[in-house]
Amino acid sequence: MAGIQAGDGEPHWSSKTAFVLAAIGSAVGLGNLWRFPYVAGENGGFAFVLVYLICVLLIGLPILSAELLMGRRGGGSAISAITRLAKTEGKTGAWAIFAWVGMLTSFLIVTFYSVIAGWVLYFAIEAFKDVISNVGANGVAGFSAPLFATMTNEEVTGRLGGLLEQPKTMIIFHALFIGLTMLICARGVKGGIEKAATTLMPAFFVLLLVLVGFSVTQGAGVDAAKYLFAPDVDKFVNALTSGTLVLDALGQAFFSIGLGSALMVTYGLYMRKSTNIPGVSGIVVSADTGVALIAGMAIFPIVFQFGLEPGAGPGLMFSTLPLAFHQIPFGGIFGFMFFAMALFAALTSSISLLEVAVAWADGDKDTPNKARRRVIGTIILGTICFIIGVGNALSQVPADSAGGNFFSTWKPAEIMPLFEGKTLLDFLDSLTGTILLPFGGLMAALFAGWVMSKSATREELGFKSESSYNAWYFLIRWVCPIAVTLVLIFGAVIAPAVAKNKAAAEAEQVDSSIEQVAN
Ligand code: TRP
């Protein structure tokens, strides 16, 4: 039915560019700068990059178009959009459950995203103070100083550890970051989100390019390029047969584009009828993937130059990179630029994450006082988010340090092998990344492919040729649901159980050999 006028009474993005920048702002974040390089590192570099690209193209891209079209056609909030669309097709409004789950998912993600982003803010400020004090001491020549020039290497790599032992500081920076996010969200789509994205994203791209130039000329650019782009058959076979590569690649694709959380349904709400959905989906996905690859080319040359560990995980951004900036002329200013850039990227992502729930709180299309409801909704939701986030921050404090606390050792879901040994922050990260986002993506694919009528999706997508539409339809109806279901079952259930059994068997072997020795 063509009767639904999407977004009646809703604010709209002021232009296609504004929408594209906001969507790119949401997609590009800590997932690209920090997660992509290290997950790629753990999975053999090139092999991961290749499978990731396939996942993005065959699963990420069609689901992104599906979420956007559902939002624009339904209007209101993600939840009312899905309810309305389901009813239009004569189906139960219970489908809206997946929008509820999506909203919960994005909400849970902000609670820990803002803690990590708080670390970024802390590092950005520390680096800034460092530059200022160098310039204060040495005049203009101070600009050429390395980052934290007066410290030892150990002190530099230990900065994250030091921060983790100061729960109060961590919570203050978490509060600052969530406060910034709320400030922007409360101002609404045009005055807040759009403005933030259109100023921060161009700045982000400029900083990124400067950093790549710096990194490639100062560091081991060739090694980095080989690592990410040169086919290595042995590594490829190894990575594929280890079983985790495809799961990691798909999960990373969902997290990085921001799929499966009703977020893109929400951003679709504000999209104009004239915007071509497949076109903008292509732009957003290319930009997101491009930034991940470019971020790799900004980070790995330095990692290789200094013989650092490419698969260092969460520490890569906060320990090894500062060490690299510590050893390079102009490292102070470049280190500051790096963290400022990461901060911009994280901020435009966290706005989008909070927006899903705020869009629900400000009511359906013709609710009166939407602006006031938005402000109140932002305050309430942001505050809850801050409180849960305090638990997340405390869970990162080592148990044996002075700040050790209940959350340092609390493992919320030990019974499931998948969550074994995970404290609150790691648990939420894993719960959202490996279960909730793929589940949301699966539901979005099922909804667009099986619940909505072909005529509705065809009209909303506006493909230029029927064969392009058919390709999308086949992917969304068959390829996405089947692939995501398989990944969910293997990733969340089978792989962790197998790993647990294997560990148990190994432990038994150790036990019995100890017994043998004792006998
Ligand atoms: N895509 C962002 C990143 O790469 C994070 C993010 C923003 C996200 N919105 C999301 C992840 C919605 C999942 C769902 O950092």
Side-chain angles (χ1 to χ4, degrees):
M1 108 157 204
I4 296 180
Q5 272 304 310
D8 276 350
E10 286 288 341
H12 285 290
W13 305 110
S14 39
S15 65
K16 181 179 143 188
T17 316
F19 163 72
V20 168
L21 283 174
I24 293 177
S26 156
V28 172
L30 297 176
N32 305 60
L33 295 176
W34 151 84
R35 200 167 183 276
F36 177 84
Y38 97 79
V39 181
E42 288 173 345
N43 284 293
F46 170 76
F48 177 84
V49 173
L50 189 70
V51 177
Y52 178 76
L53 292 179
I54 296 172
C55 288
V56 163
L57 208 65
L58 295 185
I59 298 172
L61 188 58
I63 293 187
L64 175 57
S65 293
E67 290 198 5
L68 290 174
L69 87 85
M70 283 151 50
R72 183 169 72 184
R73 204 172 174 83
S77 68
I79 290 162
S80 52
I82 304 297
T83 314
R84 199 168 294 136
L85 289 174
K87 292 209 169 126
T88 315
E89 306 287 352
K91 302 278 168 30
T92 158
W95 275 98
I97 284 188
F98 98 77
W100 280 102
V101 175
M103 190 167 89
L104 181 74
T105 309
S106 35
F107 191 71
L108 287 177
I109 295 177
V110 225
T111 67
F112 66 82
Y113 204 84
S114 56
V115 172
I116 313 262
W119 301 354
V120 175
L121 179 58
Y122 171 81
F123 273 79
I125 290 177
E126 291 294 302
F128 184 70
K129 288 202 303 213
D130 187 56
V131 173
I132 295 295
S133 78
N134 280 325
V135 173
N138 308 312
V140 184
F143 279 117
S144 63
L147 183 65
F148 305 138
T150 54
M151 293 183 184
T152 66
N153 287 357
E154 286 68 34
E155 281 169 338
V156 173
T157 48
R159 293 213 73 140
L160 178 64
L163 175 62
L164 296 185
E165 289 184 12
Q166 300 168 343
K168 273 199 204 112
T169 314
M170 217 191 329
I171 291 169
I172 290 173
F173 280 92
H174 159 60
L176 281 174
F177 185 84
I178 199 85
L180 271 177
T181 306
M182 287 163 67
L183 217 62
I184 299 172
C185 253
R187 302 176 73 101
V189 174
K190 272 199 184 143
I193 301 175
E194 191 179 299
K195 226 186 217 148
T198 46
T199 38
L200 294 180
M201 285 324 283
F204 170 86
F205 281 109
V206 171
L207 286 178
L208 185 64
L209 289 180
V210 173
L211 264 177
V212 175
F214 164 78
S215 187
V216 170
T217 50
Q218 295 278 315
V222 177
D223 291 344
K226 268 198 201 145
Y227 177 69
L228 289 175
F229 306 115
D232 179 331
V233 179
D234 282 351
K235 262 194 185 170
F236 186 71
V237 173
N238 257 339
L240 263 191
T241 47
S242 80
T244 60
L245 183 128
V246 182
L247 312 178
D248 286 349
L250 189 76
Q252 175 62 22
F254 273 104
F255 190 88
S256 190
I257 303 173
L259 296 174
S261 74
L263 159 69
M264 287 299 178
V265 180
T266 307
Y267 272 25
L269 301 170
Y270 316 129
M271 213 157 64
R272 287 166 189 280
K273 268 281 183 229
S274 55
T275 305
N276 176 269
I277 290 181
V280 293
S281 303
I283 297 175
V284 171
V285 163
S286 319
D288 183 59
T289 309
V291 170
L293 297 176
I294 294 173
M297 280 309 292
I299 289 174
F300 285 119
I302 296 177
V303 170
F304 288 122
Q305 176 80 11
F306 292 100
L308 306 171
E309 174 51 51
L316 191 65
M317 191 158 135
F318 300 102
S319 325
T320 50
L321 267 185
L323 180 63
F325 291 125
H326 175 61
Q327 314 195 0
I328 301 172
F330 294 98
I333 193 93
F334 280 106
F336 166 66
M337 275 169 62
F338 178 83
F339 285 105
M341 176 180 98
L343 184 68
F344 293 169
L347 193 57
T348 49
S349 295
S350 67
I351 305 169
S352 78
L353 286 160
L354 191 61
E355 173 65 18
V356 182
V358 169
W360 162 75
D362 85 1
D364 203 357
K365 296 193 247 203
D366 21 63
T367 312
N369 288 327
K370 270 172 88 84
R372 238 186 83 207
R373 290 180 60 123
R374 168 172 282 270
V375 174
I376 297 169
T378 306
I379 293 173
I380 296 174
L381 290 163
T383 307
I384 301 174
C385 196
F386 166 73
I387 294 168
I388 303 177
V390 169
N392 282 324
L394 290 177
S395 78
Q396 296 298 297
V397 181
D400 54 7
S401 72
N405 60 78
F406 167 74
F407 289 99
S408 301
T409 51
W410 184 48
K411 318 253 162 52
E414 273 280 82
I415 358 148
M416 274 188 75
L418 180 63
F419 302 130
E420 211 172 70
K422 297 201 150 112
T423 57
L424 190 60
L425 191 150
D426 299 341
F427 161 69
L428 287 178
D429 184 9
S430 173
L431 173 72
T432 50
T434 46
I435 298 186
L436 296 177
L437 290 180
F439 171 78
L442 171 65
M443 298 307 270
L446 289 176
F447 193 84
W450 296 85
V451 175
M452 290 185 74
S453 68
K454 270 185 100 163
S455 59
T457 51
R458 186 190 283 113
E459 182 194 304
E460 204 63 43
L461 285 171
F463 271 113
K464 299 217 168 59
S465 78
E466 183 65 11
S467 57
S468 308
Y469 174 76
N470 287 335
W472 174 84
Y473 190 66
F474 177 71
L475 289 173
I476 208 75
R477 200 167 155 91
W478 298 105
V479 177
C480 297
I482 294 173
V484 175
T485 306
L486 290 179
V487 168
L488 257 179
I489 294 173
F490 280 107
V493 187
I494 298 182
V498 169
K500 191 178 178 174
N501 276 341
K502 205 170 138 200
E506 273 165 14
E508 207 162 287
Q509 231 168 24
V510 172
D511 275 356
S512 67
S513 45
I514 291 173
E515 234 163 72
Q516 263 167 13
V517 171
N519 291 337

